[in-house]
Every structure is written in C-alpha cells, then in structure tokens.
Amino acid sequence: MTLLTFLAFGWDKRLAKNGKRRLAESVLLILTFVGGTFGALIGMTYFRHKFSKKTFIFKLIVVVVVQLAIIFLLKEHLTNQ
C-alpha cells in the first residue's frame, strides 16, 4: 500500500506538471488511510507535492489522527480480553 500511495502522489504530480486532469484528493487520502501513510509522506517529500495546499495538509493530518485513534482503540480492546 505504501508503494502504491507513493506512486499515486508521483503520478498526480506528473499530471499536474503536464496540465492534465489530476487524481482526486479523495483518492490520495483514501490510499493514505488504508495503509499508505508512509508512502504519502515520502511521496509528498520526494515529489514536493501538495505541501502548499493547506486544506490537503489538514485533511492528511485528520487521516493520521484517525488512524492513530483506531490503532489505540484496537490495542486497548485486544489487550483487555
């Protein structure tokens, strides 16, 4: 998932540079949510992509916080059994 998300950020950057129709932000965020967090962060850094979009950064932070909350809740649930 990390590799797929990384490649999606690179592909979106390429589309942006060529003035073509881009991937929807929701696609990038969904890929991030379902396991591509590190790929998203590495892709954003490597391709220098989406850093200037404050709304995207906010949404990405929300995705990471939700992921951390899910991990915490699962850990608590599984260790209390």
Side-chain angles (χ1 to χ4, degrees):
M1 215 53 217
T2 294
L3 179 61
L4 179 63
T5 306
F6 174 80
L7 294 173
F9 273 81
W11 182 251
D12 190 51
K13 176 69 174 198
R14 183 177 185 166
L15 292 172
K17 279 182 146 181
N18 293 328
K20 296 192 176 177
R21 188 164 185 227
R22 314 245 320 262
L23 296 175
E25 282 189 358
S26 60
V27 170
L28 297 174
L29 292 169
I30 289 169
L31 288 172
T32 301
F33 181 75
V34 296
T37 304
F38 291 117
L41 297 174
I42 294 166
M44 286 176 66
T45 303
Y46 183 80
F47 299 113
R48 301 194 49 78
H49 189 48
K50 295 286 189 186
F51 277 112
S52 63
K53 291 207 61 175
K54 301 301 180 202
T55 57
F56 183 82
I57 298 293
F58 176 75
K59 292 173 190 174
L60 185 72
I61 291 169
V62 169
V63 165
V64 172
V65 168
V66 169
Q67 286 176 321
L68 291 172
I70 290 170
I71 290 168
F72 176 77
L73 291 172
L74 284 173
K75 179 184 173 284
E76 289 296 310
H77 177 71
L78 294 175
T79 56
N80 288 334
Q81 289 188 13

